[in-house]
Amino acid sequence: MRANDPSSSTPKTNKAVVEQYIPIKNVKIHGSKNTGKERYKPGDQIYVRKVSGFFQKLRQRMNLVYFAFFLMLPWLQFNGHQAVLFDISEQRFTLWSLTLWPQDLTLLAWICILGAFLLFFVTTFLGRVWCGYMCPQTVWTFIFIWFEEKIEGTANQRRKLDQQKLNRKKVIRKTLKHSAWLLFSLYTAMTFAGYFSPMQDLFIDVVTLNTSVMMAGILVFFTLATYGNAGWMRETVCLHMCPYARFQSAMFDKDTVTVAYDSKRGESRGARGRKQDHKAMGLGDCIDCNLCVEVCPTGIDIRNGLQYECINCGACADACDGVMDKMDYEPGLIRYTTEHELQGKKVNIVRSKLIGYAVLLVIMSTLLVLEIVNRVPLSLEIIRDRTELAKENFNGDIENVFTLKILNMSQTDNTYKLSMQGIANTQWHGKQEVTVKAATVYTLPISISVDPYELEHYMTTITFTVEQVAPIGEAKIEQESRFFNKH
């Protein structure tokens, strides 16, 4: 074939191949700076429009309870101490009547595993509702948006204010907003720190400006983190930083309840008058008002199908139901539903994956309860004298020196009786009954002596026993050690 042959430069089009191509179009997000070339840019400003409805009232009430719980919990007292305190410096976690120590690492592991599987179960059943209703990032973002609405106005007013040139009104409102954000962030940081440091002492130190350098650094860090996450980054955290958004699809199936748009009922979209017969015009119920996009905190269009950015907050469903009510249409064009329901198929609420998660939750909850019930709030550490394993005292007896560290893991002062078994006719030199204060370690040096004729071997296994005698309880622990002969 010659180089100048037209057939060599213009390839023939295969009709069968062309018919397999899927037509695409660029989608422009309403109210965004995006030109349609990209679906989302992290730098785009999303002006979330206020919406009211059943799901938003439910979310607000849940957020209020959650936020009040977060604020009040560090202030609660129980039996003379802070009810919830994760004291890292003292290496103990206090949860009302339960005190956890490093020895209880397995118990903490069970709690974390149980929480993870509970999240898996809820996600499989109700989708990403944790993100929409209970996630701290969402709760604090909506609180910061509330400050914006009170200071700068509605979404349209905030957009116009940002587009204005710098003037006195803009400076005052921006200063008030960011000041409110920073003060609220500082209070959040102080409350959060109160879970890890005694809250009453921390509050007094902050008010009197008497905090340590380390605590001041912690407060500054968490203040700026809250201010940045809820004030500036917002949906960027959900879309690009939160791992839950990435792996949630592994738990979804076609019977998972998510917020979805009923395309069969809504298409084709188009504007129309309230009294016009839209069906005669060949239109669906969607009037293409874009309110579902304007109220979305992550800036997506739910009409494009299920997207990992959706946090299942239901804002678009409330906005759409409001429009349907004004148009005298049936509500539920956007609603909590399943993929099978939208396809007109049977919805399987009880299914193998859900049953599997439920069974695992029951098993792990049972194991956790058993672990707590069978937990002995007492620990014993035995330290031998390392300078001399055994020595002969002035009576000719063989003597071994030990240091007993008794940890009272309960929240009451207890009296314990100590004893030793394994060798007959031994003599105990030191206290055999001690009182240990709540959540403290008692160090007791003792020595055990025995006639060498009672020792058959160079090394004999012995058992120390610590038993609670007052107040009367069932706390008892045994710990093995070794008794060495001189020769």
Side-chain angles (χ1 to χ4, degrees):
M1 185 178 294
R2 297 189 302 272
N4 58 357
D5 191 343
S7 62
S8 63
S9 59
T10 308
K12 294 182 179 180
T13 303
N14 191 327
K15 184 177 181 181
V17 174
V18 172
E19 289 177 349
Q20 293 178 5
Y21 291 162
I22 300 174
I24 62 173
K25 69 174 183 177
N26 291 327
V27 178
K28 182 177 181 180
I29 300 177
H30 181 78
S32 142
K33 298 177 183 178
N34 204 328
T35 60
K37 295 181 180 179
E38 295 184 19
R39 185 163 170 268
Y40 174 80
K41 290 181 180 179
D44 288 346
Q45 177 69 35
I46 297 177
Y47 299 91
V48 181
R49 181 168 177 169
K50 186 177 180 181
V51 62
S52 61
F54 173 79
F55 297 113
Q56 297 317 292
K57 289 180 180 178
L58 176 63
R59 179 189 58 76
Q60 290 167 3
R61 290 171 183 173
M62 291 181 66
N63 290 175
L64 181 62
V65 172
Y66 171 74
F67 185 64
F69 189 73
F70 168 78
L71 292 181
M72 292 188 300
L73 201 55
W75 292 98
L76 298 180
Q77 297 290 309
F78 182 84
N79 286 341
H81 61 81
Q82 189 168 317
V84 178
L85 179 61
F86 306 112
D87 196 336
I88 297 176
S89 61
E90 295 294 332
Q91 297 184 359
R92 67 171 182 259
F93 293 173
T94 303
L95 300 170
W96 281 275
S97 61
L98 180 65
T99 301
L100 302 179
W101 298 80
Q103 294 88 337
D104 299 310
L105 183 62
T106 55
L107 187 60
L108 292 174
W110 277 119
I111 294 175
C112 294
I113 294 172
L114 180 63
F117 273 91
L118 180 61
L119 182 63
F120 297 160
F121 175 82
V122 172
T123 303
T124 302
F125 183 40
L126 296 174
R128 205 175 167 184
V129 290
W130 160 260
C131 295
Y133 290 84
M134 292 297 291
C135 177
Q137 176 66 22
T138 303
V139 175
W140 262 252
T141 294
F142 276 110
I143 291 174
F144 274 49
I145 292 175
W146 180 83
F147 279 114
E148 281 187 333
E149 292 173 346
K150 295 300 180 182
I151 298 173
E152 295 184 353
T154 63
N156 287 332
Q157 290 173 333
R158 299 198 299 272
R159 185 182 292 108
K160 291 179 180 178
L161 181 66
D162 287 345
Q163 293 172 352
Q164 291 177 6
K165 294 182 178 180
L166 195 63
N167 53 46
R168 183 172 177 271
K169 176 182 176 182
K170 185 173 182 177
V171 170
I172 292 175
R173 293 197 174 186
K174 291 294 183 182
T175 302
L176 286 174
K177 182 184 76 171
H178 289 284
S179 298
W181 282 1
L182 284 170
L183 288 174
F184 184 77
S185 298
L186 175 60
Y187 188 60
T188 298
M190 187 175 68
T191 303
F192 183 74
Y195 283 88
F196 302 91
S197 178
M199 186 64 187
Q200 294 182 354
D201 297 340
L202 175 64
F203 181 78
I204 293 173
D205 289 343
V206 171
V207 172
T208 59
L209 301 178
N210 195 33
T211 58
S212 64
V213 175
M214 179 178 290
M215 180 56 68
I218 291 172
L219 292 177
V220 170
F221 173 78
F222 282 106
T223 297
L224 295 178
T226 305
Y227 172 75
N229 287 344
W232 292 93
M233 300 178 71
R234 294 187 180 177
E235 74 285 345
T236 304
V237 175
C238 301
L239 305 186
H240 302 284
M241 297 175 65
C242 178
Y244 182 51
R246 300 296 178 177
F247 69 76
Q248 62 169 341
S249 59
M251 293 170 277
F252 278 26
D253 55 39
K254 294 186 177 182
D255 291 305
T256 299
V257 179
T258 59
V259 177
Y261 166 70
D262 191 345
S263 58
K264 292 182 180 179
R265 175 184 158 188
E267 302 297 327
S268 298
R269 314 172 197 171
R272 80 293 303 270
R274 183 172 177 273
K275 296 183 179 180
Q276 287 182 297
D277 186 358
H278 61 287
K279 294 184 179 179
M281 301 169 61
L283 298 175
D285 285 357
C286 179
I287 67 173
D288 204 19
C289 63
N290 274 329
L291 278 179
C292 55
V293 180
E294 294 178 8
V295 301
C296 179
T298 58
I300 65 171
D301 190 340
I302 194 65
R303 295 171 296 181
N304 294 333
L306 179 64
Q307 299 146 75
Y308 78 90
E309 298 95 335
C310 178
I311 61 173
N312 254 25
C313 65
C316 55
D318 283 333
C320 187
D321 283 347
V323 174
M324 294 296 103
D325 182 61
K326 292 178 182 178
M327 298 296 294
D328 284 336
Y329 295 168
E330 183 182 353
L333 177 60
I334 299 176
R335 63 185 185 274
Y336 284 95
T337 184
T338 67
E339 187 176 343
H340 274 160
E341 183 182 357
L342 289 176
Q343 295 172 354
K345 298 180 181 179
K346 181 182 177 181
V347 178
N348 299 311
I349 299 296
V350 180
R351 50 198 187 275
S352 59
K353 183 188 292 187
L354 207 60
I355 293 174
Y357 284 134
V359 170
L360 286 173
L361 279 174
V362 172
I363 293 174
M364 287 186 291
S365 299
T366 303
L367 291 174
L368 177 61
V369 172
L370 290 175
E371 183 86 11
I372 294 175
V373 170
N374 295 326
R375 174 179 175 269
V376 179
L378 179 63
S379 177
L380 173 64
E381 183 181 0
I382 304 171
I383 302 174
R384 294 188 53 84
D385 184 4
R386 302 189 183 279
T387 58
E388 191 174 12
L389 292 178
K391 64 181 180 179
E392 186 176 342
N393 61 21
F394 63 92
N395 289 328
D397 294 337
I398 302 302
E399 186 174 342
N400 283 200
V401 178
F402 302 88
T403 300
L404 306 182
K405 289 191 173 182
I406 305 166
L407 171 59
N408 179 6
M409 302 166 67
S410 69
Q411 296 178 359
T412 58
D413 297 348
N414 299 328
T415 300
Y416 301 101
K417 181 180 179 181
L418 294 84
S419 60
M420 190 213 76
Q421 299 83 32
I423 302 177
N425 302 321
T426 58
Q427 293 184 10
W428 182 292
H429 305 281
K431 294 181 180 179
Q432 281 194 270
E433 189 169 291
V434 295
T435 298
V436 185
K437 293 184 178 181
T440 58
V441 177
Y442 189 95
T443 302
L444 176 65
I446 66 163
S447 63
I448 305 293
S449 63
V450 63
D451 191 314
Y453 291 102
E454 298 289 345
L455 301 173
E456 298 179 359
H457 306 285
Y458 170 71
M459 182 178 66
T460 305
T461 300
I462 58 176
T463 302
F464 286 95
T465 301
V466 180
E467 184 176 5
Q468 181 178 331
V469 293
I472 298 175
E474 298 181 355
K476 180 179 179 181
I477 189 170
E478 295 181 345
Q479 185 75 33
E480 285 189 353
S481 186
R482 302 291 182 269
F483 191 94
F484 289 89
N485 198 347
K486 183 67 174 176
H487 303 289

